[in-house]
Amino acid sequence: MTKKEIIKKTEEFAKKKLNGEGSGHDWWHAYRVWQMAKAIGKQEKVDLFIVELAALLHDLADHKVVGDEEQGLEIIKKWLAGLGVSADDIKKVTDVVENISYRKTFGQKVSLSAEAMVVQDADRLEATGAIGIARNFAYGGSKGIEMYNPREKSKKFKNIEQYKKNVSTSINHFYEKNLLLKDLMNTKMAKKIARKRHDFMLRYLDQFYKEWDGKN
Ligand code: NI
């Protein structure tokens, strides 16, 4: 099988696995991460085959999507082995998937492969800009979280346990995550995109507060 065919088959596989996922990690999220990772990857010295596979599969081992991360990784390994991907390449793909999550790298610098940096940036960009705003509210809705509550202040978290336990509002989530991302990008291209999208989110929030208080 050619690399192109492997990617095509993996696209179908990810689509089937993630279809209808309701918390913002559905197939179309994977699709966007894939497209963005390709665009960033073209500017970097990376193996695009690894980047594309990892982008497509990156959420299949996420605890929000599958119950158990280990099990998710096993599914990915089996899938790629079944397509004849080399053990070496499978390891590179699963390394990316394992190491890029926001929770995993929370508050600490994990050393990542060049491919992982690209996919991590593409995934993090999903929590910025217009899509980031939409996903924030979609996720909040799926968890029954309030959109906004002026009495609830946003928090700063010292560790991942605090972050995980936190039940906040969707608006607070901007300050607790989305607006922190522009300083966490790895690649030059993602930094540039993140800055632009950051400003867009600030403009959005400004308008939101105006409307909340009966202004236009
Ligand atoms: Ni993701």
Side-chain angles (χ1 to χ4, degrees), residues 20-21 39 44 53 64-65 74 95 97 126 128 131 169 175 185 195 198 208-209:
E21 203 281 333
E44 303 288 321
L53 289 178
K64 288 191 230 69
V65 178
E74 277 315 306
D95 272 354
V97 174
E126 276 281 291
T128 67
I131 297 272
T169 66
Y175 303 95
M185 296 296 160
R195 274 198 297 273
H198 184 87
F208 186 96
Y209 298 130

Side-chain angles (χ1 to χ4, degrees), residues 25 29 33 58-59 123 135:
H25 301 268
H29 162 67
V33 171
H58 83 277
D59 267 341
D123 196 28
R135 290 180 77 233

Side-chain angles (χ1 to χ4, degrees), residues 35-48:
Q35 299 311 308
M36 181 57 80
K38 270 196 277 189
I40 299 171
K42 282 177 187 155
Q43 310 290 321
E44 303 288 321
K45 281 198 190 70
V46 291
D47 183 342
L48 274 178

Side-chain angles (χ1 to χ4, degrees), residues 175 199-212:
Y175 303 95
D199 292 343
F200 181 79
M201 288 191 286
L202 291 180
R203 286 205 305 282
Y204 173 82
L205 287 167
D206 192 47
Q207 178 70 17
F208 186 96
Y209 298 130
K210 278 187 189 148
E211 293 182 15
W212 191 271

Side-chain angles (χ1 to χ4, degrees), residues 5-212:
E5 284 165 339
I6 291 170
I7 289 165
K8 183 76 200 148
K9 289 237 185 266
T10 301
E11 177 190 343
E12 296 303 326
F13 177 69
K15 204 181 281 174
K16 218 168 71 199
K17 287 271 176 199
L18 296 167
N19 223 345
E21 203 281 333
S23 72
H25 301 268
D26 58 304
W27 156 247
W28 292 112
H29 162 67
Y31 169 81
R32 292 187 303 264
V33 171
W34 177 33
Q35 299 311 308
M36 181 57 80
K38 270 196 277 189
I40 299 171
K42 282 177 187 155
Q43 310 290 321
E44 303 288 321
K45 281 198 190 70
V46 291
D47 183 342
L48 274 178
F49 180 59
I50 303 296
V51 164
E52 287 195 54
L53 289 178
L56 282 165
L57 297 168
H58 83 277
D59 267 341
L60 288 191
D62 192 288
H63 72 101
K64 288 191 230 69
V65 178
V66 290
D68 178 339
E69 192 180 323
E70 283 308 311
Q71 201 189 328
L73 286 169
E74 277 315 306
I75 293 169
I76 292 171
K77 281 180 202 164
K78 265 204 199 111
W79 168 255
L80 293 173
L83 295 176
V85 176
S86 73
D88 194 39
D89 280 353
I90 292 174
K91 171 103 176 57
K92 285 182 192 160
V93 172
T94 52
D95 272 354
V96 175
V97 174
E98 255 191 289
N99 288 314
I100 61 166
S101 83
Y102 188 69
R103 283 158 194 265
K104 187 124 190 171
T105 52
F106 189 96
Q108 53 183 14
K109 268 268 174 219
V110 174
S111 80
L112 297 173
S113 66
E115 286 77 13
M117 287 187 191
V118 168
V119 180
Q120 185 179 59
D121 279 359
D123 196 28
R124 285 183 167 170
L125 282 171
E126 276 281 291
T128 67
I131 297 272
I133 293 168
R135 290 180 77 233
N136 231 359
F137 291 113
Y139 181 75
S142 81
K143 296 280 171 198
I145 289 170
E146 271 185 310
M147 185 166 79
Y148 177 50
N149 184 337
R151 292 198 200 109
E152 288 261 353
K153 297 290 166 226
S154 65
K155 302 180 192 90
K156 277 203 163 46
F157 303 106
K158 287 196 190 74
N159 57 53
I160 187 65
E161 298 312 318
Q162 285 183 355
Y163 178 78
K164 272 196 218 166
K165 263 191 247 144
N166 178 52
V167 179
S168 193
T169 66
S170 294
I171 288 291
N172 279 351
H173 199 63
F174 283 98
Y175 303 95
E176 291 159 357
K177 181 177 179 186
N178 309 61
L179 291 167
L180 307 177
L181 291 171
K182 80 167 175 20
D183 296 324
L184 296 173
M185 296 296 160
N186 305 298
T187 63
K188 203 172 149 200
M189 182 173 169
K191 280 178 188 158
K192 201 171 149 196
I193 297 169
R195 274 198 297 273
K196 205 175 121 205
R197 293 187 179 183
H198 184 87
D199 292 343
F200 181 79
M201 288 191 286
L202 291 180
R203 286 205 305 282
Y204 173 82
L205 287 167
D206 192 47
Q207 178 70 17
F208 186 96
Y209 298 130
K210 278 187 189 148
E211 293 182 15
W212 191 271

